[in-house]
């Protein structure tokens, strides 16, 4: 299954859910026109046109997850006031669980932004940053939720008092005992409270402060970040850098994952929330970390093109990723999407040719073989052995090329119309599902040795043997390199 298929399938999150813990807040927007300066003071007069409230703080992380199709529960504190009531209403409207939220004597943190002519003129904050370390009610609710075993936990720290060291370590200890990944969006300079989490996602400024780095033109971030990763016992660090993308610090290396540029940046607020939420959704689906962060980059690029803290939606993410995929990449299918395409080809009366193989280190013999196979029909489907199946067939040193890279290179061939990766010992299941008109193998086989030759008789298909180019093989290439 390709990355886009996993995303379309709502990140394969059936029966899985995420727990977001952190500082809750309400974002209020007052928007209007500016045409004059006040006679009372040298300040612009904003003529109010509209106002609206949105989920802020850790709630925005939860909103991102929810709109990506991940069931999400939120834990934190709100005030027993009008703004708290409004926030709860919006959370429930966005299908976010509120079982972990307690009401406190402090007011609900509310940020009011006054915007004139698309420019933020002023921000008014209502908050009371107090340490909730002694909130037994909150710790009890969080512990109950952790015992229900979420697929992932996110600690979203806005330095408003919820995520004390005691609470963070309590959460991380329980999560580790249950093998639940913990992602942290950090704040401040006291990162000791995040020790033993799975990963942190600081922005560049936050990483500089946490590492106590004096930045110059030639500053090398690798050693300070590696030291931070080691001291906190993290699996990786993802440092967000705005237009410069994300730096992934994993193992003993640092790798930059470029940002996806937007034509116009309206508002960068909330981009970090989108990154950590998208990363979490991808991790729930067991996607590789680098792939997950590349997708998070795309998601962040979408939300900064909108006004205010707007969470990413599954539809926007799919649309953007689909538009970035080349026509060649679109040839790579999951079995489900391939069958949809096969149905279209059959409706169009196309003659379908099927072949399979490892195709490790593509060479002239492979290309010639596929060109000959394509000539036997209208469209050619290639079933590609997965890495695990290649290892079983060829030995522990194979494949040389990763399955996704093999698929991507093969997709560039005009002779190939569809690719599907399979892990079974043989492609018999695929052959039965697809029911091709022609089944092709190399001339080093006999027709009665070809897997599926008996099944083809049921739908009047036939087996064709294609001559192979002598002296061309991956094994020979590997031997020559050695």
């Amino acid at each position: 299954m390709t990355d886009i298929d996993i995303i379309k399938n709502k990140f394969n999150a059936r029966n899985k859910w995420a727990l977001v813990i952190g500082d809750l807040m309400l974002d209020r927007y007052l928007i209007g026109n500016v045409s004059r300066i006040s006679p009372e003071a040298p300040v612009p007069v904003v003529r109010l046109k509209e106002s609206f409230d949105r989920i802020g703080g850790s709630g925005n992380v939860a909103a991102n997850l929810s709109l990506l199709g991940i069931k999400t529960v939120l834990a934190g504190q709100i005030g027993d006031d009008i703004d708290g009531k409004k926030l709860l209403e919006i959370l429930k409207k966005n299908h976010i669980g509120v079982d972990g939220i307690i009401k406190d004597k402090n007011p609900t943190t509310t940020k009011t932004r006054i915007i004139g002519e698309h420019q933020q003129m002023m921000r008014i904050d209502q908050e009371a940053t107090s340490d909730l370390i002694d909130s037994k009610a909150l710790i009890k609710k969080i512990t109950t939720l952790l015992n229900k075993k979420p697929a992932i936990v996110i600690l979203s720290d806005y330095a408003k008092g919820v995520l004390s060291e005691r609470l963070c370590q309590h959460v991380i200890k329980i999560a580790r005992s249950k093998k639940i990944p913990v992602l942290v969006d950090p704040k401040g300079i006291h990162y000791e409270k995040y020790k033993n989490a799975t990963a942190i996602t600081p922005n560049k400024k936050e990483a500089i402060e946490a590492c106590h780095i004096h930045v110059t033109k030639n500053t090398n971030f690798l050693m300070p970040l590696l030291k931070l990763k080691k001291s906190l016992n993290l699996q990786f660090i993802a440092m967000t850098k705005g237009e410069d993308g994300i730096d992934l610090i994993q193992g003993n290396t640092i790798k930059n994952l470029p940002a996806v540029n937007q034509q116009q940046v309206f508002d960068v607020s909330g981009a970090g929330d989108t990154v950590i939420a998208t990363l979490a959704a991808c991790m729930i689906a067991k996607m590789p970390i680098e792939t997950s962060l590349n997708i998070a980059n795309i998601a962040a690029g979408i939300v900064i093109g909108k006004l205010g803290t707007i969470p990413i939606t599954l539809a926007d993410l799919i649309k953007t990723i689909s538009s970035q995929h080349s026509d060649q990449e679109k040839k790579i299918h999951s079995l489900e999407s391939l069958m949809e395409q096969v149905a279209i080809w059959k409706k169009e009366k196309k003659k379908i040719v099927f072949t399979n193989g490892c195709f490790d280190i593509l060479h002239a013999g492979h290309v010639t073989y596929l060109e000959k196979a394509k000539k036997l029909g209208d469209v050619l489907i290639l079933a590609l052995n997965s890495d695990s199946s290649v290892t079983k067939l060829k030995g522990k040193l194979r494949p040389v090329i990763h399955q996704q890279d093999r698929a991507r290179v093969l997709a560039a061939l005009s002779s190939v119309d569809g690719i599907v990766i399979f892990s079974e010992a043989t492609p018999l299941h695929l052959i039965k599902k697809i029911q091709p008109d022609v089944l092709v193998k190399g001339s080093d086989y006999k027709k009665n040795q070809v897997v599926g030759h008996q099944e083809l008789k049921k739908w009047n298909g036939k087996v064709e043997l294609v001559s192979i180019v002598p002296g061309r093989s991956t094994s020979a290439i590997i031997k020559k390199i050695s």
Side-chain angles (χ1 to χ4, degrees):
M1 183 176 283
T2 64
D3 297 337
I4 190 67
D5 290 320
I6 292 172
I7 293 168
K8 285 180 178 178
N9 200 29
K10 295 187 178 180
F11 292 95
N12 292 344
R14 294 185 185 90
N15 302 317
K16 296 179 181 178
W17 60 284
L19 174 59
V20 178
I21 307 168
D23 301 296
L24 287 164
M25 56 189 72
L26 185 68
D27 283 345
R28 178 163 290 141
Y29 293 86
L30 306 177
I31 301 174
N33 297 326
V34 178
S35 59
R36 63 192 180 95
I37 300 297
S38 171
E40 302 166 1
V43 294
V45 175
V46 180
R47 186 173 183 180
L48 188 65
K49 287 180 63 180
E50 62 175 319
S51 64
F52 51 84
D53 295 329
R54 287 184 178 150
I55 305 167
S58 61
N60 189 47
V61 177
N64 277 274
L65 280 163
S66 181
L67 288 173
L68 287 173
I70 308 297
K71 182 181 176 182
T72 307
V73 177
L74 197 53
Q77 171 267 337
I78 59 172
D80 189 8
D81 51 22
I82 295 174
D83 288 340
K85 184 178 179 180
K86 180 66 176 177
L87 182 55
L88 280 178
E89 289 174 359
I90 302 173
L91 289 169
K92 291 174 182 177
K93 187 177 180 180
N94 283 270
H95 309 291
I96 297 168
V98 296
D99 293 348
I101 296 176
I102 64 166
K103 291 183 179 180
D104 187 79
K105 62 181 180 180
N106 294 312
T108 300
T109 299
T110 304
K111 295 181 179 180
T112 302
R113 295 172 174 87
I114 301 173
I115 299 170
E117 309 297 340
H118 302 291
Q119 177 67 45
Q120 187 172 151
M121 314 292 290
M122 181 180 289
R123 194 179 90 182
I124 304 169
D125 287 4
Q126 173 186 280
E127 63 183 29
T129 55
S130 62
D131 199 343
L132 294 170
I133 192 169
D134 295 323
S135 177
K136 294 179 181 179
L138 181 58
I139 291 176
K140 184 178 179 180
K141 280 181 176 286
I142 291 171
T143 303
T144 300
L145 290 168
L146 287 170
N147 286 331
K148 294 180 180 179
K149 205 167 183 182
I152 201 162
V153 174
I154 297 177
L155 298 178
S156 178
D157 199 344
Y158 276 79
K160 304 302 180 186
V162 169
L163 294 180
S164 63
E165 182 170 359
R166 179 184 172 188
L167 189 144
C168 287
Q169 285 301 300
H170 177 77
V171 170
I172 292 168
K173 183 179 179 180
I174 295 176
R176 279 176 67 91
S177 71
K178 297 180 181 297
K179 298 182 179 179
I180 302 169
V182 179
L183 300 180
V184 182
D185 190 357
K187 192 69 68 178
I189 59 174
H190 300 294
Y191 278 28
E192 300 84 4
K193 63 180 178 178
Y194 310 130
K195 189 171 184 177
N196 296 320
T198 304
I200 58 173
T201 62
N203 60 35
K204 186 176 178 179
K205 181 176 180 293
E206 290 165 344
I208 289 170
E209 291 173 351
C211 294
H212 308 289
I213 302 172
H214 176 66
V215 179
T216 64
K217 186 177 181 180
N218 299 315
T219 297
N220 184 345
F221 282 88
L222 177 57
M223 294 312 295
L225 287 170
L226 284 177
K227 184 178 178 181
L228 180 65
K229 182 172 77 73
K230 184 178 180 180
S231 67
L232 297 179
N233 192 31
L234 306 171
Q235 291 183 21
F236 67 94
I237 295 175
M239 180 174 70
T240 59
K241 299 167 62 181
E243 63 183 14
D244 293 324
I246 299 173
D247 280 355
L248 171 61
I249 297 87
Q250 192 175 30
N252 292 314
T253 63
I254 184 169
K255 182 174 184 179
N256 179 253
L257 310 174
V260 178
N261 294 324
Q262 286 285 325
Q263 289 185 346
Q264 187 173 9
V265 177
F266 276 102
D267 196 340
V268 297
S269 61
D273 296 336
T274 298
V275 167
I276 197 168
T278 309
L279 171 61
C282 292
M283 287 177 66
I284 289 174
K286 306 297 182 184
M287 297 171 76
I289 298 303
E290 190 171 324
T291 301
S292 301
L293 288 172
N294 278 323
I295 294 172
N297 250 334
I298 294 170
I302 296 169
V303 298
I304 63 173
K306 299 180 180 182
L307 179 63
T309 50
I310 303 289
I312 187 67
T313 68
L314 188 65
D316 279 347
L317 187 58
I318 291 171
K319 181 181 177 181
T320 303
I321 292 176
S322 296
S323 68
Q324 291 176 354
H325 276 217
S326 67
D327 290 337
Q328 295 169 0
E329 289 174 299
K330 290 175 183 177
K331 294 180 182 180
I332 305 170
H333 295 272
S334 65
L335 178 56
E336 183 181 13
S337 67
L338 177 63
M339 292 312 299
E340 291 174 1
Q341 183 59 60
V342 166
I344 294 171
W345 285 332
K346 289 188 175 182
K347 190 174 182 179
E348 294 172 345
K349 306 296 183 184
K350 296 284 180 70
K351 189 175 183 180
I352 298 174
V353 183
F354 179 96
T355 191
N356 67 281
C358 301
F359 295 91
D360 190 21
I361 306 184
L362 191 67
H363 53 72
H366 289 144
V367 175
T368 304
Y369 169 82
L370 293 170
E371 287 172 345
K372 290 178 180 179
K374 173 64 177 286
K375 289 178 181 179
L376 296 171
D378 299 309
V379 293
L380 174 61
I381 295 173
L382 169 58
L384 185 66
N385 287 79
S386 68
D387 289 349
S388 61
S389 64
V390 174
T391 301
K392 290 176 184 176
L393 290 168
K394 305 290 186 179
K396 64 180 182 179
L397 297 180
R398 300 280 297 277
V400 175
I401 310 297
H402 183 271
Q403 62 191 36
Q404 293 297 340
D405 290 343
R406 286 185 281 129
R408 182 65 184 86
V409 172
L410 287 161
L413 300 178
S414 60
S415 57
V416 177
D417 299 286
I419 299 170
V420 62
I421 298 171
F422 72 100
S423 297
E424 296 85 0
T426 73
L428 185 60
H429 174 67
L430 292 173
I431 293 168
K432 289 179 178 179
K433 289 280 289 185
I434 296 166
Q435 296 188 8
D437 300 291
V438 184
L439 181 57
V440 177
K441 288 299 285 184
S443 56
D444 49 342
Y445 282 81
K446 292 181 180 180
K447 287 188 177 182
N448 61 6
Q449 294 176 325
V450 177
V451 171
H453 75 278
Q454 290 283 5
E455 283 71 19
L456 257 72
K457 295 175 184 177
K458 297 176 183 178
W459 55 83
N460 298 317
K462 61 180 181 178
V463 176
E464 294 284 358
L465 302 180
V466 171
S467 60
I468 58 176
V469 179
R472 303 290 192 277
S473 74
T474 299
S475 298
I477 294 171
I478 292 172
K479 186 177 180 180
K480 187 173 183 179
I481 293 172
S482 299

